């Protein structure tokens, strides 16, 4: 449950919206690194905590601008 507690504590610190961005950034980063390792022929277990920590940094620094950008994609101008 270490990853769960890490995200819980980070969510209390940065907020519910930014923790979603953090989770997606961590998952995406881990997936990319895992695919690169698999392509090189290295099939080993990777720790997920450092990728979540990287995602928390992304969510803390750029979480709100990313959310605003994403939500702006769905705003339709009224004519």
């Amino acid at each position: 449950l270490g990853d769960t507690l890490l995200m819980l504590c980070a969510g209390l610190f940065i907020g519910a919206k930014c923790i979603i961005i953090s989770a997606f950034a961590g998952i995406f980063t881990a997936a990319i690194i895992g695919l690169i390792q698999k392509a090189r022929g290295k099939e080993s277990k990777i720790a997920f905590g450092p990728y979540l920590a990287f995602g928390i940094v992304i969510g803390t620094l750029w979480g709100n601008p990313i959310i605003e950008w994403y939500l702006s994609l769905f705003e339709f101008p009224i004519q």
Side-chain angles (χ1 to χ4, degrees):
L1 289 175
D3 298 335
T4 305
L5 292 175
L6 174 67
M7 295 305 281
L8 174 71
C9 292
L12 292 173
F13 178 68
I14 65 175
K17 291 190 289 186
C18 290
I19 201 65
I20 294 171
I21 298 298
S22 300
F24 279 120
I27 292 166
F28 182 74
T29 305
I32 295 298
I33 299 299
L35 288 173
I36 291 171
Q37 286 182 349
K38 190 167 184 130
R40 288 184 174 178
K42 298 179 183 177
E43 295 198 23
S44 62
K45 291 184 178 181
I46 58 172
F48 194 46
Y51 299 106
L52 288 178
F54 176 73
I56 290 168
V57 170
I58 298 297
T60 302
L61 296 177
W62 298 293
N64 285 324
I66 291 171
I67 292 169
E68 290 173 10
W69 166 77
Y70 181 72
L71 292 178
S72 72
L73 296 175
F74 299 105
E75 292 180 9
F76 298 104
I78 298 174
Q79 296 181 359

